[in-house]
Amino acid sequence: MVEFDKAVRRPLLEFVPAWVHPNHFTILRALLLFPLILARNIPWLAVSIVLLSSVCDLFDGPLARVRGQTSETGASLDAFSDKFFLLGALFFACGSRVPSGLANPIGALDVLLTILRPIKKRLRVTTKSNKWGAAKTWSQTAGLTCVLSGSPWLGNLVYPIFGLAILFALLSFRGHLQDFGK
């Protein structure tokens, strides 16, 4: 993440107006679910919305770090926004195009990860995300893109990509459980 911060630091400072707070990107990411649901049957538009959502996810954290505006609230909002958009897209935009054998475990693991955060906070255990959580988010995004593209070729990648998302979610969950032992 440090390398990405270095690569985008200058453009963020130059092109993002001062009145734009990092949480604006985070909230926009969540709100993009609604136009995505409406555009779910227009492949180019649906994929564009997923990509815009990903750009928001890429910029909120680095912008907060560059401006010194990081907070526990922002980190929690970011995690919620990710899950809101990704799970909403999975269940409401993709619907039956993603088999329940893939969608349900992803949903269940994301709910478990969401429940775990306040428990860790209450017990004063670190609530920082881990590399597996980031991999889970990006693999879910890739899977959504494949589904919403309407491409038969990309559709063939749905099982392996969402399978990876499940694996990464399990590894992320394990990592969060290991935090209790530190």
Side-chain angles (χ1 to χ4, degrees), residues 106 109 132 135-136 139-140 160-170:
I106 290 170
L109 286 164
W132 300 114
K136 173 194 67 74
S139 56
Q140 282 179 273
I161 290 174
F162 280 130
L164 280 174
I166 293 168
L167 174 64
F168 293 148
L170 287 168

Side-chain angles (χ1 to χ4, degrees), residues 4-165:
F4 179 76
D5 284 357
K6 288 179 183 177
V8 298
R9 180 171 299 210
R10 188 175 178 145
L12 283 174
L13 291 174
E14 290 180 12
F15 298 113
V16 177
W19 60 268
V20 175
H21 192 277
N23 288 344
H24 292 153
F25 284 108
T26 306
I27 292 166
L28 176 60
R29 176 168 169 75
L31 293 176
L32 284 170
L33 173 62
F34 302 107
L36 177 63
I37 292 170
L38 295 174
R40 68 183 175 267
N41 294 320
I42 308 168
W44 70 268
L45 186 54
V47 168
S48 297
I49 293 169
V50 171
L51 293 176
L52 178 59
S53 168
S54 297
V55 168
C56 290
D57 192 35
L58 279 174
F59 278 96
D60 59 357
L63 183 64
R65 287 186 286 280
V66 165
R67 291 187 176 170
Q69 295 175 321
T70 59
S71 68
E72 181 63 34
T73 301
S76 295
L77 184 62
D78 182 56
F80 171 80
S81 178
D82 284 348
K83 287 168 183 53
F84 182 82
F85 180 83
L86 293 170
L87 291 179
L90 184 65
F91 289 103
F92 298 110
C94 295
S96 63
R97 292 182 276 183
V98 177
S100 60
L102 292 173
N104 291 340
I106 290 170
L109 286 164
D110 269 353
V111 167
L112 283 173
L113 287 164
T114 301
I115 291 169
L116 200 54
R117 183 180 207 93
I119 294 169
K120 289 175 72 176
K121 185 175 181 179
R122 178 106 165 109
L123 296 174
R124 301 189 195 295
V125 175
T126 182
T127 58
K128 285 190 168 203
S129 59
N130 57 45
K131 65 183 176 185
W132 300 114
K136 173 194 67 74
T137 296
W138 288 103
S139 56
Q140 282 179 273
T141 301
L144 292 172
T145 302
C146 289
V147 171
L148 293 168
S149 73
S151 164
W153 182 81
L154 289 175
N156 290 330
L157 299 176
V158 168
Y159 274 94
I161 290 174
F162 280 130
L164 280 174

